[in-house]
Amino acid sequence: MKRNLSYTITMLCLAAILASCGSSAPRIDYQALAQASIKLGMDIDRQDNHKLYINAARWIGTPYRPGGNNAQGIDCSGLTTQLYKETYRIHLPRNTSKQKFEVQRLLTIDELREGDLVFFNSHTSSKKATHVGIYLKDWKFIHASSSRGVIVSSLLEDYYKEHWICGGRYK
C-alpha cells in the first residue's frame, strides 16, 4: 500500500513536471511574411529572422533624403539605424563612419550573415563617401540608394563588387 502511494505520488509529480514544460510554437504572421517576400523580391525561410524581413519591407520605396531618418525620406545610415532599432533594439551611431568604427568584427564578403552591416565606397558628384546597408541573404542587402530610394541590391552586381569595403557584425 505504501509502495503504491509512493508510486502514485511520483507519477503525479512527473506528470505535473512534464505538463509545465510544454512550449508553444512561435507565432508566425504568414500574411506579413508573404507581403515582405514580394516587396523584397526574395524567399523568406522558416529559419530566417522574420522580424528583420518584415521591418525591412516596410522601408522599400522610401525616398532618399540626405540626413533623413523617417518614412518621408531616409539616407543609408538612417536606414541601418532604424532597422537595427526596430529589429534588434540596438541603437547604432547615426553616421556611417561611426557605425563602421564600432562594429565588433570586420568581415569579408564570404563571412556575411543575416543582419550584418555592409560598407561600400560611394562616389557622388562632389565627394567620396562610405555607404552602408544591411545584409539579408543570398548575396542581397537592403540600402538607401541616392537615386532610387530604399531598395534591395545584390552584392554580385559589378558596382558593389568594385566598391566593396567590408562587412561588420554588431552583436
Side-chain angles (χ1 to χ4, degrees):
M1 175 90 165
K2 199 173 192 182
R3 190 171 180 188
N4 282 343
L5 182 59
S6 175
Y7 177 78
T8 303
I9 291 173
T10 302
M11 294 309 286
L12 286 172
C13 288
L14 183 60
I17 290 170
L18 290 175
S20 68
C21 289
S23 64
S24 60
R27 294 179 191 217
I28 298 174
D29 184 345
Y30 290 105
Q31 183 176 4
L33 282 175
Q35 290 170 348
S37 177
I38 291 166
K39 278 186 120 176
L40 296 170
M42 59 194 326
D43 291 331
I44 301 170
D45 298 321
R46 185 176 211 67
Q47 74 276 8
D48 291 333
N49 181 340
H50 296 167
K51 193 172 184 179
L52 172 62
Y53 292 94
I54 290 169
N55 290 338
R58 289 184 190 129
W59 289 97
I60 293 294
T62 302
Y64 181 86
R65 190 178 87 217
N69 202 26
N70 57 44
Q72 282 68 51
I74 199 157
D75 65 12
C76 64
S77 62
L79 178 65
T80 55
T81 300
Q82 290 297 326
L83 279 174
Y84 260 67
K85 185 170 70 174
E86 294 167 358
T87 305
Y88 304 112
R89 293 192 173 117
I90 293 174
H91 294 277
L92 295 180
R94 183 52 182 89
N95 76 44
T96 304
S97 298
K98 287 183 180 176
Q99 287 180 10
K100 185 177 169 223
F101 179 76
E102 290 189 16
V103 292
Q104 291 180 355
R105 183 168 170 234
L106 294 179
L107 308 165
T108 66
I109 201 165
D110 294 324
E111 296 175 301
L112 291 173
R113 291 195 313 224
E114 181 183 76
D116 287 339
L117 297 176
V118 291
F119 298 94
F120 303 90
N121 285 318
S122 172
H123 303 283
T124 63
S125 57
S126 60
K127 64 179 180 172
K128 183 177 175 180
T130 302
H131 185 73
V132 64
I134 296 179
Y135 184 73
L136 298 172
K137 68 178 195 170
D138 299 332
W139 305 108
K140 295 183 180 178
F141 67 102
I142 187 168
H143 63 113
S145 164
S146 60
S147 61
R148 299 185 291 165
V150 177
I151 59 172
V152 172
S153 295
S154 172
L155 293 171
L156 301 178
E157 292 175 34
D158 288 340
Y159 178 87
Y160 297 108
K161 286 196 287 189
E162 183 180 323
H163 293 90
W164 169 262
I165 297 173
C166 68
R169 188 154 302 142
Y170 228 102
K171 292 177 185 168

